Short mmCIF file of all heavy atoms in Angstrom, two decimals:
data_model
loop_
_atom_site.label_atom_id
_atom_site.label_comp_id
_atom_site.label_asym_id
_atom_site.label_seq_id
_atom_site.Cartn_x
_atom_site.Cartn_y
_atom_site.Cartn_z
N SER A 369 -4.57 7.15 -30.04
CA SER A 369 -5.83 7.07 -30.75
C SER A 369 -5.57 7.11 -32.25
O SER A 369 -4.58 7.67 -32.70
CB SER A 369 -6.75 8.23 -30.34
OG SER A 369 -6.13 9.49 -30.60
N GLY A 370 -6.47 6.48 -33.00
CA GLY A 370 -6.32 6.42 -34.45
C GLY A 370 -5.98 5.05 -34.98
O GLY A 370 -6.25 4.74 -36.14
N CYS A 371 -5.40 4.20 -34.13
CA CYS A 371 -5.06 2.82 -34.51
C CYS A 371 -5.25 1.94 -33.30
O CYS A 371 -4.67 2.19 -32.24
CB CYS A 371 -3.62 2.73 -35.02
SG CYS A 371 -3.11 1.05 -35.45
N ALA A 372 -6.08 0.88 -33.44
CA ALA A 372 -6.46 0.06 -32.30
C ALA A 372 -5.44 -1.01 -31.94
O ALA A 372 -5.50 -1.57 -30.85
CB ALA A 372 -7.81 -0.62 -32.58
N ASN A 373 -4.51 -1.32 -32.84
CA ASN A 373 -3.58 -2.44 -32.62
C ASN A 373 -4.36 -3.69 -32.20
O ASN A 373 -4.00 -4.38 -31.25
CB ASN A 373 -2.51 -2.08 -31.59
CG ASN A 373 -1.38 -3.11 -31.56
OD1 ASN A 373 -1.24 -3.92 -32.48
ND2 ASN A 373 -0.58 -3.08 -30.50
N ALA A 374 -5.43 -3.97 -32.91
CA ALA A 374 -6.27 -5.14 -32.65
C ALA A 374 -6.31 -6.02 -33.89
O ALA A 374 -6.26 -5.52 -35.02
CB ALA A 374 -7.69 -4.69 -32.29
N VAL A 375 -6.38 -7.32 -33.66
CA VAL A 375 -6.33 -8.33 -34.73
C VAL A 375 -5.06 -8.10 -35.56
O VAL A 375 -5.08 -8.05 -36.78
CB VAL A 375 -7.60 -8.29 -35.61
CG1 VAL A 375 -7.72 -9.59 -36.42
CG2 VAL A 375 -8.87 -8.09 -34.79
N THR A 376 -3.96 -7.96 -34.85
CA THR A 376 -2.65 -7.72 -35.47
C THR A 376 -1.65 -8.84 -35.15
O THR A 376 -0.46 -8.68 -35.42
CB THR A 376 -2.08 -6.37 -35.02
OG1 THR A 376 -2.22 -6.26 -33.59
CG2 THR A 376 -2.81 -5.22 -35.67
N GLY A 377 -2.12 -9.93 -34.55
CA GLY A 377 -1.28 -11.10 -34.34
C GLY A 377 -0.13 -10.88 -33.37
O GLY A 377 -0.14 -9.97 -32.54
N GLU A 378 0.89 -11.72 -33.50
CA GLU A 378 2.05 -11.64 -32.62
C GLU A 378 2.78 -10.32 -32.77
O GLU A 378 3.33 -9.79 -31.81
CB GLU A 378 2.99 -12.81 -32.90
CG GLU A 378 2.50 -14.15 -32.37
CD GLU A 378 2.33 -14.14 -30.86
OE1 GLU A 378 3.21 -13.58 -30.16
OE2 GLU A 378 1.31 -14.65 -30.38
N GLN A 379 2.80 -9.79 -34.01
CA GLN A 379 3.49 -8.52 -34.22
C GLN A 379 2.82 -7.40 -33.43
O GLN A 379 3.49 -6.51 -32.89
CB GLN A 379 3.51 -8.16 -35.71
CG GLN A 379 4.35 -6.94 -36.03
CD GLN A 379 5.80 -7.10 -35.60
OE1 GLN A 379 6.46 -8.07 -35.96
NE2 GLN A 379 6.30 -6.15 -34.83
N GLY A 380 1.50 -7.45 -33.34
CA GLY A 380 0.79 -6.44 -32.57
C GLY A 380 1.17 -6.47 -31.10
O GLY A 380 1.31 -5.42 -30.45
N LEU A 381 1.35 -7.69 -30.56
CA LEU A 381 1.75 -7.81 -29.17
C LEU A 381 3.17 -7.28 -28.96
O LEU A 381 3.46 -6.60 -27.97
CB LEU A 381 1.65 -9.27 -28.72
CG LEU A 381 1.75 -9.56 -27.22
CD1 LEU A 381 0.70 -8.76 -26.45
CD2 LEU A 381 1.60 -11.04 -26.96
N LYS A 382 4.05 -7.56 -29.92
CA LYS A 382 5.42 -7.01 -29.85
C LYS A 382 5.38 -5.49 -29.89
O LYS A 382 6.12 -4.82 -29.16
CB LYS A 382 6.26 -7.56 -30.99
CG LYS A 382 6.57 -9.05 -30.90
CD LYS A 382 7.36 -9.52 -32.11
CE LYS A 382 7.63 -11.02 -32.06
NZ LYS A 382 8.35 -11.49 -33.27
N ASP A 383 4.53 -4.94 -30.74
CA ASP A 383 4.43 -3.49 -30.85
C ASP A 383 3.92 -2.88 -29.55
O ASP A 383 4.40 -1.81 -29.12
CB ASP A 383 3.49 -3.11 -32.00
CG ASP A 383 4.07 -3.43 -33.37
OD1 ASP A 383 5.28 -3.73 -33.46
OD2 ASP A 383 3.31 -3.38 -34.36
N ALA A 384 2.96 -3.54 -28.91
CA ALA A 384 2.44 -3.04 -27.64
C ALA A 384 3.54 -3.03 -26.58
O ALA A 384 3.64 -2.09 -25.77
CB ALA A 384 1.25 -3.89 -27.18
N ARG A 385 4.40 -4.06 -26.60
CA ARG A 385 5.51 -4.10 -25.65
C ARG A 385 6.50 -2.97 -25.89
O ARG A 385 7.00 -2.35 -24.94
CB ARG A 385 6.22 -5.46 -25.72
CG ARG A 385 5.40 -6.61 -25.16
CD ARG A 385 6.21 -7.89 -25.09
NE ARG A 385 5.39 -9.00 -24.64
CZ ARG A 385 5.10 -9.26 -23.37
NH1 ARG A 385 5.59 -8.46 -22.42
NH2 ARG A 385 4.34 -10.27 -23.04
N VAL A 386 6.76 -2.70 -27.14
CA VAL A 386 7.67 -1.60 -27.46
C VAL A 386 7.09 -0.28 -26.97
O VAL A 386 7.80 0.58 -26.43
CB VAL A 386 7.96 -1.55 -28.98
CG1 VAL A 386 8.72 -0.28 -29.35
CG2 VAL A 386 8.75 -2.78 -29.41
N MET A 387 5.80 -0.10 -27.16
CA MET A 387 5.13 1.11 -26.70
C MET A 387 5.22 1.23 -25.17
O MET A 387 5.48 2.32 -24.63
CB MET A 387 3.67 1.06 -27.15
CG MET A 387 2.85 2.30 -26.93
SD MET A 387 1.25 2.12 -27.80
CE MET A 387 0.29 3.41 -26.97
N ALA A 388 5.02 0.12 -24.46
CA ALA A 388 5.13 0.12 -23.01
C ALA A 388 6.57 0.42 -22.57
O ALA A 388 6.79 1.16 -21.60
CB ALA A 388 4.68 -1.22 -22.44
N GLU A 389 7.53 -0.13 -23.27
CA GLU A 389 8.94 0.12 -22.94
C GLU A 389 9.29 1.59 -23.14
O GLU A 389 10.07 2.17 -22.37
CB GLU A 389 9.84 -0.78 -23.77
CG GLU A 389 9.77 -2.24 -23.35
CD GLU A 389 10.35 -3.18 -24.39
OE1 GLU A 389 10.83 -2.69 -25.44
OE2 GLU A 389 10.32 -4.40 -24.16
N ALA A 390 8.70 2.21 -24.15
CA ALA A 390 8.93 3.64 -24.35
C ALA A 390 8.34 4.43 -23.17
O ALA A 390 8.91 5.45 -22.75
CB ALA A 390 8.30 4.10 -25.66
N GLY A 391 7.22 3.96 -22.64
CA GLY A 391 6.66 4.58 -21.45
C GLY A 391 7.59 4.44 -20.26
O GLY A 391 7.77 5.38 -19.47
N ASP A 392 8.22 3.27 -20.11
CA ASP A 392 9.18 3.06 -19.03
C ASP A 392 10.36 4.01 -19.14
O ASP A 392 10.85 4.55 -18.15
CB ASP A 392 9.68 1.61 -19.05
CG ASP A 392 8.58 0.60 -18.80
OD1 ASP A 392 7.49 1.01 -18.35
OD2 ASP A 392 8.81 -0.60 -19.04
N LYS A 393 10.83 4.22 -20.37
CA LYS A 393 11.95 5.14 -20.57
C LYS A 393 11.56 6.56 -20.17
O LYS A 393 12.37 7.30 -19.60
CB LYS A 393 12.39 5.10 -22.03
CG LYS A 393 13.06 3.80 -22.45
CD LYS A 393 13.44 3.83 -23.93
CE LYS A 393 14.06 2.51 -24.36
NZ LYS A 393 14.38 2.51 -25.82
N LEU A 394 10.32 6.93 -20.47
CA LEU A 394 9.85 8.26 -20.08
C LEU A 394 9.82 8.39 -18.57
O LEU A 394 10.19 9.44 -18.02
CB LEU A 394 8.45 8.51 -20.66
CG LEU A 394 7.83 9.87 -20.32
CD1 LEU A 394 8.65 11.00 -20.92
CD2 LEU A 394 6.39 9.93 -20.79
N VAL A 395 9.41 7.33 -17.86
CA VAL A 395 9.40 7.35 -16.39
C VAL A 395 10.82 7.59 -15.87
O VAL A 395 11.04 8.40 -14.96
CB VAL A 395 8.82 6.05 -15.83
CG1 VAL A 395 9.04 5.97 -14.32
CG2 VAL A 395 7.33 5.93 -16.15
N ARG A 396 11.81 6.89 -16.44
CA ARG A 396 13.19 7.06 -15.99
C ARG A 396 13.68 8.47 -16.25
O ARG A 396 14.36 9.08 -15.43
CB ARG A 396 14.10 6.03 -16.68
CG ARG A 396 13.82 4.60 -16.25
CD ARG A 396 14.97 3.67 -16.61
NE ARG A 396 15.15 3.55 -18.04
CZ ARG A 396 14.53 2.64 -18.80
NH1 ARG A 396 13.66 1.81 -18.24
NH2 ARG A 396 14.77 2.56 -20.08
N LYS A 397 13.30 9.02 -17.42
CA LYS A 397 13.69 10.39 -17.74
C LYS A 397 13.05 11.37 -16.76
O LYS A 397 13.69 12.32 -16.29
CB LYS A 397 13.28 10.73 -19.18
CG LYS A 397 13.67 12.15 -19.61
CD LYS A 397 13.03 12.53 -20.94
CE LYS A 397 13.73 11.85 -22.10
NZ LYS A 397 13.23 12.39 -23.40
N PHE A 398 11.79 11.13 -16.45
CA PHE A 398 11.08 11.98 -15.51
C PHE A 398 11.77 11.96 -14.15
O PHE A 398 12.02 13.00 -13.54
CB PHE A 398 9.63 11.51 -15.39
CG PHE A 398 8.79 12.24 -14.39
CD1 PHE A 398 8.06 13.35 -14.75
CD2 PHE A 398 8.74 11.82 -13.06
CE1 PHE A 398 7.29 14.04 -13.83
CE2 PHE A 398 7.97 12.50 -12.13
CZ PHE A 398 7.24 13.62 -12.52
N ASP A 399 12.08 10.76 -13.65
CA ASP A 399 12.71 10.63 -12.34
C ASP A 399 14.09 11.29 -12.32
O ASP A 399 14.45 11.96 -11.34
CB ASP A 399 12.84 9.16 -11.96
CG ASP A 399 11.50 8.52 -11.61
OD1 ASP A 399 10.53 9.27 -11.40
OD2 ASP A 399 11.44 7.28 -11.54
N ALA A 400 14.83 11.12 -13.40
CA ALA A 400 16.18 11.69 -13.46
C ALA A 400 16.15 13.20 -13.47
O ALA A 400 17.09 13.86 -13.00
CB ALA A 400 16.91 11.18 -14.70
N GLY A 401 15.06 13.78 -13.97
CA GLY A 401 14.99 15.22 -14.10
C GLY A 401 14.41 15.96 -12.92
O GLY A 401 14.36 17.19 -12.92
N ARG A 402 13.93 15.25 -11.91
CA ARG A 402 13.34 15.94 -10.76
C ARG A 402 14.43 16.55 -9.90
O ARG A 402 15.29 15.86 -9.35
CB ARG A 402 12.49 14.97 -9.94
CG ARG A 402 11.18 14.62 -10.64
CD ARG A 402 10.28 13.79 -9.76
NE ARG A 402 10.87 12.47 -9.53
CZ ARG A 402 10.35 11.57 -8.70
NH1 ARG A 402 9.28 11.87 -8.01
NH2 ARG A 402 10.91 10.39 -8.55
N LYS A 403 14.39 17.84 -9.79
CA LYS A 403 15.44 18.56 -9.08
C LYS A 403 15.25 18.48 -7.56
O LYS A 403 14.19 18.79 -7.04
CB LYS A 403 15.43 20.05 -9.49
CG LYS A 403 15.56 20.28 -10.99
CD LYS A 403 16.90 19.80 -11.51
CE LYS A 403 17.04 20.13 -12.99
NZ LYS A 403 18.33 19.67 -13.53
N GLY A 404 16.29 18.05 -6.88
CA GLY A 404 16.27 18.07 -5.43
C GLY A 404 15.36 17.05 -4.79
O GLY A 404 15.12 17.12 -3.59
#
Side-chain angles (χ1 to χ4, degrees):
S369 58
C371 178
N373 191 16
V375 197
T376 47
E378 286 299 318
Q379 187 59 53
L381 193 56
K382 292 178 182 177
D383 290 348
R385 290 187 184 278
V386 171
M387 188 170 162
E389 289 164 1
D392 297 346
K393 291 179 182 177
L394 179 64
V395 170
R396 293 197 295 271
K397 181 190 284 188
F398 176 91
D399 288 345
R402 287 186 293 174
K403 304 296 184 180

